[in-house]
Amino acid sequence: RGLLTRLNTPICIVCYLAAIVWFMGLAFEPFTLRTDMSENAMGSTMVLLRGASAVPRQGVRSSQKTGAVSTWLVKAMQSRGLEVFTQSFSRKLPFPDENKERYMVRGTNVYGILRAPRAPRTEALVISAPCSPGDSNNQAVGLLLALAQYFRNQVYWAKDIIFLVNEHDLMGTQAWLEAYHHTNITGMEYSPLQGRGGSIQAALSLELSSDVITSLDLILDGLNGQLPNLDLANLFYAFCQKLGVLCTIQGKLQRNDWDTAEGYTHAAQTMMLMVLKQACGRSWGDHGLFLRYHIEAASVRGINSFRHYKTDAATIGRLLEGMVRKLNNLLERLHQSYFFYLLPSLSRFVSIGCYMPAFGLLVVILLLRALDLWVHLGAPALAAVEGVTEAQQPSGPAVLTVLTPVVISHLTGVALYLLPVHLQEMAVEHFPVSETEAVVLTAVAIYTTGLALPHNTQRLLSGEGTEQGWKVLKLTALLYLAVLLGCTALINFSLGFVLAVTLVPITASMTPHMPKALSALVMVLLSPAFTILYCVFIYQELIEAPVSVSEGWMLFLSVISQGILDHALYGSLVYPLLALFIYPCWLMFWNILFWS
Amino acid sequence: MAAPLTLLLIVAVTIRAVLFRSSWAELISERVEVVSPLNAWKRVVEGLALLDLGVSPYSGDVFHETPFMIYLFHFVVDYAEIVFMVSPGLVFCLSRFLTSLYLFRKQKYALESDRYPADCLELLRSPKEMFYIPLKVAMFYLLNPFTILSCVAKSTCGLNNAIIALFILCTLKGSALLSGILLALATYQSIYPLTLFAPALLFFLQRLYIPVNLRRSSFWFFTLQYAFIYVGSLVVITGLSFFLLGSWDFIPSVYGFIFSVPDLTPNIGLFWYFFAEMFEHFRLFFICVFQINVFFYTIPLSIKLKEHPVFLIFMQIAIISIFKSYPTVGDVALYMAFLPAWSHLYRFLRNIFLVSCVLLACSALFPVLWHLWIYAGSANSNFYYAITLLFNFGQILLVSDYFYAYLRREHHLTHGLYLKKKDGTEATLVLK
């Protein structure tokens, strides 16, 4: 213990550097594991693929002009021998979504059920394709219908197969899933489902953005950073290999030259993209909402990257057929392989045991600092005991000085969480801004006001802060942050790690005795809001679409509005986490800096 | 003193009332950490419904409360919230008396301080410190998140705690009759308080200046007297239950349920995972091993702490809450309420930082890992059990730390605070 106290600062610095190096090393191929099919029911035999083609995409396109997609779809599905049902839903967004230009949403989901001929109908698989007016996902809908026609004539289905065409992408999926499971978490209005299959075992979502497909991208990141079982990714990869289809993850092809610098950078970039996407906690495809219901799901997105190598619809059909048939063979839910992983490429993965130490090293810093403070707090007490008879005792006022900033910080957090959406009408009346801008700017304004608040009120309430006071506060805040980050990282590793990387250095080193202006600047630059801003820039850099500062700022604002919307619409937890916990925690440290 | 206590009471009641009315109450009452199959309110309601229909509440495998409890709620079911509000209030009153009484006893030590070496004066508490202790005990119990959760979930654990608290109160007041009756009632509620018989007996013996000596007739006389009160009231209570229900159904359904642990719903205890993994034909053996754990420590602890029965009560309650078959956070809260009473041990504690970190982290991790296991499906029971183990490890460390600190303080009181070895260097104490 003595050693830990004396060498506290060097140990912390070493831990921090080690964490960063460890994390970056995860992308290095020799440290990663090769993905391997773990599920026996899917692994041993390759199914024989015959293939479905003949894509009736003309119909979708022509009926879209007349605006009667759902009636056309019902007919088309019925003619292929499915049990067809529709579901209508409507939802008023808390404020207009400017990215997708929608406010009052009204739509219809169409789904057809192919009943399993070979088994009791207790389990089901879902193949879904989002289809909105004006959207160009016609290819996928066509492919879906072709698959339905082909599957109808096969006899080996042991699970119901549900073909779902959902309108308004995620919102349609949300309405359908909530109706299927008889829940209502987000206050959406929808009509109940008329027909149902068994419990859904797995789902695939199909997005083909253009007529020409050169590669297929697999999207795994779901709501709140949840990932499907790794076996689903393995399955996709195995069939892509078999059929000779180019497959990517995060839009990045796999490279084989891991021992060169470029190869490593490439893998690191892929992994960083995954971390950033996962950290933002939104669902990056329709599959993301299935994961919440314990359904393994992934999105397959066809991409036209103008390569020479083209994949025709029949091949994609065969690929999907293969995947569905393998899933059809499942005897129980996918559970053999990993649920917590990072993918530097499709054939390599980093499991939880490998990446957690990187995060652990960061949290250890917080605990070490807390231990150090604890020893320092105990030392004067012991000294007093040796000198005089009276023992040190934590008195009432000391508790109060610590409690006040904690409560005030959390109240600010609650304001940040509640006010933006509730105050939008008032803001629109008084300022020349749209509703969305009003929400985002209110959030930014409250965030900034929070910086001015705590230390002023603290001075007002309790007068002179003592040396012991800030130490106790810092001890509390450090433990609080450590527990908070730990819990976050368990649910969403990437979010926890990104927050830890930026928050740990300032929180570990913050004392009131540092030069005020400089450390205040550093603290603001490493605050949660700026972390989001950096993530936006890094993300744009990684997808090879760098942006200027002003564009970056606009993107930042839209990311915030998306975050708030995701919380309201789908129950994403990132916004409440940041507003109610991380931000108040950061404010406590801000308070320590201005302890007087 | 009265003003802060009233304020505290108002704050505590407000928090509970707000939570009762909020949408969280339902969520909390479903948490496995807060309610167990024994004390879940949902099950009590089920039992009441069966009783109203004229069916034995113990038919079926849902209700496991004692007959007294169900008849109590039969009359006050409409005021259930108030009952649950009152039960911590009872504990609160007790805590006041408990500490003040106990501490006055301690003050006697202070008066007799010339018995001790001079440098030990600082180990004795000044009356001013003791003055605040009832307030602290009340605060520790009433504002403990564990108690609040348990109360909002309407877990009957709060009532059991109140009975145990009343028992301690009566014991400290010196009323052997009431103490015996309440102890019987507590035993009737959940069996395990049986182990509190030893400390209560020791306390009365000490109070009446009867030495613990097997050859003295006065010792045997009092022991038999107290045992008679205890066993007699236990028989009366059980008999009354039989007459209330008209059958002995409740014996297997309540006590059989506690002993044989058929319900393996995850909780914060050590039983569920172990018995879920167990081969069926070793089950009986391991049940015996696990249950004996609770009772086994009574004997060595009673011998070691025979001069300090109040501390022994604390140790026993802590051990019960760690090793019982269906523990909830409400049980943990009961023994944590005692901690401020031992604030004079604070300087001898070695691991308090580690322990508080562990308990804090575990309390946060329980719901997170539960979410990952049950809802997200990405973790599994092993993760949750790991946290359970860690939580219990923290508790055991806490208790043993206090035990060690208590013994060490006693040692210092008799031998002086600054021990020197023969060669003049500072000595360290080793617990043996």
Side-chain angles (χ1 to χ4, degrees):
Chain A
R1 225 174 228 196
L3 191 72
L4 280 180
T5 341
R6 249 181 296 128
L7 294 178
N8 203 289
T9 319
I11 291 178
C12 287
I13 294 171
V14 167
C15 275
Y16 189 76
L17 293 179
I20 302 289
V21 170
W22 185 296
F23 181 72
M24 293 319 290
L26 291 177
F28 191 52
E29 196 167 312
F31 297 158
T32 59
L33 299 168
R34 175 165 282 281
T35 54
D36 233 339
M37 195 74 80
S38 316
E39 175 63 55
N40 272 332
M42 298 201 304
S44 53
T45 54
M46 275 291 186
V47 288
L48 181 70
L49 305 175
R50 260 166 288 179
S53 53
V55 183
R57 78 182 78 107
Q58 296 305 327
V60 189
R61 195 170 292 164
S62 60
S63 63
Q64 228 167 43
K65 285 183 189 127
T66 59
V69 189
S70 56
T71 37
W72 182 84
L73 267 173
V74 170
K75 269 189 205 138
M77 280 190 182
Q78 265 165 353
S79 71
R80 281 162 181 80
L82 303 180
E83 283 177 38
V84 188
F85 307 94
T86 59
Q87 181 211 20
S88 58
F89 61 92
S90 68
R91 172 82 207 248
K92 181 170 172 276
L93 271 56
F95 57 91
D97 183 355
E98 289 192 342
N99 283 22
K100 290 180 176 155
E101 293 173 352
R102 57 190 183 190
Y103 184 43
M104 302 284 292
V105 180
R106 198 171 288 283
T108 314
N109 293 326
V110 181
Y111 65 102
I113 305 177
L114 171 62
R115 296 292 179 187
R118 282 194 40 173
R121 292 153 184 178
T122 52
E123 292 177 340
L125 301 173
V126 172
I127 308 176
S128 80
C131 172
S132 293
D135 195 19
S136 50
N137 203 16
N138 302 338
Q139 277 273 354
V141 178
L143 189 58
L144 197 78
L145 290 174
L147 280 176
Q149 184 160 28
Y150 176 71
F151 285 0
R152 179 80 181 90
N153 299 324
Q154 308 307 316
V155 289
Y156 38 67
W157 301 118
K159 296 176 174 38
D160 291 345
I161 300 177
I162 302 175
F163 296 91
L164 168 69
V165 177
N166 53 309
E167 208 174 340
H168 297 296
D169 46 70
L170 283 168
M171 301 192 64
T173 318
Q174 170 90 356
W176 191 79
L177 278 171
E178 289 200 347
Y180 200 93
H181 294 100
H182 296 299
T183 56
N184 197 340
I185 329 169
T186 52
M188 187 180 271
E189 287 165 27
Y190 51 79
S191 59
L193 295 186
Q194 300 299 319
R196 296 157 47 81
S199 88
I200 304 174
Q201 303 290 302
L204 289 173
S205 174
L206 198 58
E207 293 171 37
L208 305 176
S209 49
S210 84
D211 290 355
V212 183
I213 302 299
T214 56
S215 62
L216 289 179
D217 190 37
L218 182 70
I219 306 166
L220 298 169
D221 323 76
L223 197 70
N224 293 328
Q226 217 181 329
L227 297 169
N229 196 298
L230 188 59
D231 267 345
L232 205 63
N234 297 340
L235 184 66
F236 174 78
Y237 183 64
F239 273 104
C240 283
Q241 294 285 304
K242 184 181 160 81
L243 295 169
V245 180
L246 279 182
C247 54
T248 61
I249 186 153
Q250 323 298 350
K252 304 252 181 203
L253 268 178
Q254 189 179 345
R255 292 172 66 131
N256 290 322
D257 51 345
W258 55 269
D259 42 358
T260 63
E262 292 87 41
Y264 167 74
T265 325
H266 188 81
Q269 281 178 349
T270 317
M271 193 177 74
M272 279 303 292
L273 264 176
M274 175 153 185
V275 167
L276 287 178
K277 279 186 171 182
Q278 202 190 356
C280 86
R282 57 185 304 200
S283 173
W284 288 83
D286 280 358
H287 70 281
L289 297 175
F290 284 92
L291 294 173
R292 173 191 282 162
Y293 298 93
H294 208 333
I295 299 165
E296 306 312 319
S299 283
V300 176
R301 182 174 287 166
I303 288 179
N304 181 10
S305 49
F306 306 103
R307 291 198 183 85
H308 287 297
Y309 190 90
K310 290 190 179 54
T311 306
D312 59 347
T315 318
I316 302 175
R318 274 209 292 280
L319 177 92
L320 286 173
E321 185 206 349
M323 287 179 74
V324 174
R325 282 196 60 183
K326 284 280 180 123
L327 292 172
N328 180 51
N329 288 346
L330 280 183
L331 295 176
E332 46 191 338
R333 282 176 195 275
L334 287 174
H335 67 279
Q336 300 275 7
S337 194
Y338 294 81
F339 281 97
F340 301 100
Y341 50 86
L342 293 175
L343 293 168
S345 75
L346 253 180
S347 61
R348 294 267 163 186
F349 77 101
V350 184
S351 78
I352 181 168
C354 295
Y355 66 61
M356 264 306 176
F359 177 78
L361 284 170
L362 288 178
V363 172
V364 158
I365 297 178
L366 295 179
L367 294 180
L368 280 178
R369 297 308 294 194
L371 183 69
D372 188 36
L373 272 177
W374 175 260
V375 172
H376 278 288
L377 274 175
L382 282 181
V385 166
E386 277 158 20
V388 214
T389 49
E390 198 68 14
Q392 281 266 353
Q393 183 198 351
S395 53
V399 175
L400 208 65
T401 49
V402 176
L403 211 60
T404 328
V406 172
V407 170
I408 292 178
S409 310
H410 280 87
L411 286 182
T412 324
V414 171
L416 180 62
Y417 175 66
L418 289 178
L419 289 187
V421 177
H422 287 283
L423 283 187
Q424 52 169 320
E425 280 173 24
M426 213 173 79
V428 170
E429 269 176 36
H430 292 86
F431 301 100
V433 287
S434 72
E435 273 101 342
T436 318
E437 283 168 343
V439 171
V440 175
L441 293 178
T442 320
V444 174
I446 293 174
Y447 189 90
T448 327
T449 326
L451 304 190
L453 244 173
H455 59 276
N456 283 339
T457 40
Q458 199 263 320
R459 202 172 297 163
L460 199 77
L461 276 172
S462 49
E464 208 68 356
T466 54
E467 186 76 357
Q468 209 191 3
W470 74 261
K471 280 186 178 164
V472 174
L473 178 62
K474 188 176 173 186
L475 182 68
T476 322
L478 279 173
L479 290 180
Y480 183 50
L481 185 67
V483 170
L484 203 58
L485 287 178
C487 292
T488 314
L490 273 177
I491 292 179
N492 184 344
F493 165 75
S494 305
L495 183 61
F497 188 76
V498 168
L499 285 174
V501 164
T502 52
L503 284 177
V504 164
I506 46 165
T507 52
S509 57
M510 197 47 60
T511 64
H513 308 305
M514 299 165 84
K516 289 271 185 303
L518 182 69
S519 39
L521 184 72
V522 173
M523 262 205 93
V524 171
L525 284 181
L526 288 176
S527 76
F530 275 85
T531 310
I532 302 177
L533 189 64
Y534 303 143
C535 288
V536 168
F537 280 112
I538 296 174
Y539 178 73
Q540 292 297 332
E541 200 64 42
L542 286 176
I543 60 168
E544 291 157 16
V547 286
S548 67
V549 175
S550 62
E551 283 171 323
W553 175 251
M554 293 314 291
L555 266 176
F556 168 67
L557 294 184
S558 88
V559 162
I560 293 177
S561 77
Q562 287 299 314
I564 300 177
L565 268 182
D566 275 349
H567 171 58
L569 293 181
Y570 314 119
S572 151
L573 290 176
V574 175
Y575 172 60
L577 176 79
L578 287 180
L580 293 176
F581 296 107
I582 301 286
Y583 173 63
C585 193
W586 181 83
L587 274 185
M588 283 191 225
F589 288 100
W590 179 255
N591 209 328
I592 292 167
L593 178 62
F594 289 99
W595 196 268
S596 52
Chain B
M1 190 66 186
L5 273 176
T6 326
L7 188 72
L8 179 70
L9 201 60
I10 292 172
V11 170
V13 168
T14 320
I15 293 176
R16 284 165 172 78
V18 167
L19 280 174
F20 266 131
R21 296 276 167 264
S22 73
S23 56
W24 291 35
E26 200 184 342
L27 180 78
I28 291 171
S29 63
E30 299 279 314
R31 300 293 317 170
V32 287
E33 296 90 2
V34 182
V35 296
S36 73
L38 274 180
N39 56 25
W41 177 244
K42 216 166 68 178
R43 291 170 185 258
V44 176
V45 171
E46 172 78 12
L48 279 175
L50 288 176
L51 192 69
D52 286 342
L53 290 173
V55 185
S56 161
Y58 298 100
S59 56
D61 192 35
V62 175
F63 182 72
H64 301 289
E65 259 301 345
T66 51
F68 267 25
M69 208 49 115
I70 196 166
Y71 276 95
L72 171 70
F73 281 112
H74 188 64
F75 295 115
V76 298
V77 70
D78 296 333
Y79 311 102
E81 285 184 10
I82 298 173
V83 171
F84 284 107
M85 292 274 209
V86 169
S87 60
L90 282 177
V91 179
F92 159 85
C93 303
L94 138 112
S95 62
R96 249 201 96 168
F97 285 106
L98 173 149
T99 37
S100 46
L101 271 173
Y102 174 57
L103 295 172
F104 282 125
R105 243 168 48 70
K106 275 277 155 190
Q107 261 172 336
K108 269 192 295 185
Y109 278 84
L111 293 177
E112 298 162 3
S113 57
D114 51 340
R115 268 172 47 192
Y116 298 119
D119 58 350
C120 291
L121 268 182
E122 62 192 81
L123 290 179
L124 300 169
R125 282 180 294 190
S126 64
K128 182 172 152 280
E129 281 172 56
M130 284 190 254
F131 185 67
Y132 281 111
I133 283 175
L135 182 67
K136 282 188 195 160
V137 170
M139 202 159 81
F140 250 64
Y141 190 73
L142 289 180
L143 297 184
N144 190 339
F146 287 161
T147 330
I148 295 176
L149 286 178
S150 167
C151 174
V152 171
K154 298 193 204 166
S155 153
T156 50
C157 171
L159 293 177
N160 292 349
N161 282 356
I163 294 174
I164 296 180
L166 280 176
F167 152 70
I168 298 168
L169 177 61
C170 292
T171 312
L172 294 184
K173 281 236 173 194
S175 156
L177 180 69
L178 273 179
S179 149
I181 294 173
L182 282 166
L183 181 59
L185 197 60
T187 314
Y188 168 77
Q189 278 295 330
S190 58
I191 296 187
Y192 293 115
L194 174 66
T195 57
L196 295 178
F197 181 80
L201 180 66
L202 284 172
F203 182 85
F204 283 118
L205 289 174
Q206 197 180 56
R207 197 183 153 81
L208 299 170
Y209 301 107
I210 302 171
V212 182
N213 188 341
L214 295 183
R215 271 168 296 180
R216 293 281 285 270
S217 63
S218 59
F219 167 76
W220 283 111
F221 178 68
F222 187 79
T223 309
L224 283 176
Q225 194 186 353
Y226 191 65
F228 180 74
I229 298 174
Y230 172 65
V231 174
S233 38
L234 198 58
V235 168
V236 169
I237 293 171
T238 321
L240 268 179
S241 313
F242 171 72
F243 288 117
L244 276 176
L245 278 179
S247 79
W248 291 109
D249 278 354
F250 67 95
I251 299 278
S253 194
V254 177
Y255 307 115
F257 188 76
I258 291 175
F259 272 124
S260 66
V261 205
D263 191 319
L264 299 179
T265 318
N267 56 28
I268 59 170
L270 298 164
F271 279 68
W272 62 272
Y273 184 86
F274 201 72
F275 285 100
E277 299 284 311
M278 175 92 46
F279 285 118
E280 199 55 39
H281 39 275
F282 291 114
R283 197 184 158 94
L284 183 66
F285 171 67
F286 275 104
I287 279 179
C288 294
V289 172
F290 268 62
Q291 297 285 9
I292 282 173
N293 236 332
V294 186
F295 302 102
F296 177 73
Y297 298 107
T298 314
I299 301 161
L301 281 178
S302 306
I303 293 167
K304 188 79 194 170
L305 291 173
K306 67 172 182 264
E307 304 292 325
H308 315 283
V310 182
F311 191 74
L312 182 56
I313 290 182
F314 162 73
M315 293 294 291
Q316 287 292 347
I317 293 178
I319 285 171
I320 289 173
S321 93
I322 296 170
F323 291 111
K324 74 191 280 192
S325 48
Y326 304 100
T328 60
V329 289
D331 300 310
V332 179
L334 180 64
Y335 80 80
M336 281 195 172
F338 276 83
L339 296 185
W342 319 119
S343 61
H344 56 295
L345 302 181
Y346 183 75
R347 53 180 298 179
F348 296 118
L349 294 177
R350 293 172 302 177
N351 300 319
I352 190 71
F353 179 70
L354 179 69
V355 168
S356 32
C357 283
V358 165
L359 293 183
L360 198 75
C362 286
S363 316
L365 286 174
F366 271 128
V368 168
L369 286 168
W370 182 260
H371 169 86
L372 284 181
W373 173 22
I374 300 296
Y375 297 104
S378 39
N380 51 42
S381 56
N382 302 305
F383 289 59
Y384 190 77
Y385 189 62
I387 292 304
T388 311
L389 273 184
L390 196 61
F391 185 70
N392 282 302
F393 163 74
Q395 289 191 73
I396 291 170
L397 205 59
L398 179 75
V399 173
S400 53
D401 213 14
Y402 267 94
F403 182 58
Y404 168 80
Y406 197 89
L407 291 185
R408 185 161 165 202
R409 177 172 176 275
E410 290 306 318
H411 185 84
H412 280 308
L413 275 178
T414 43
H415 294 96
L417 185 55
Y418 302 105
L419 296 176
K420 297 274 191 278
K421 276 185 190 163
K422 281 188 186 119
D423 55 354
T425 53
E426 198 166 318
T428 48
L429 285 177
V430 184
L431 181 68
K432 276 184 187 162

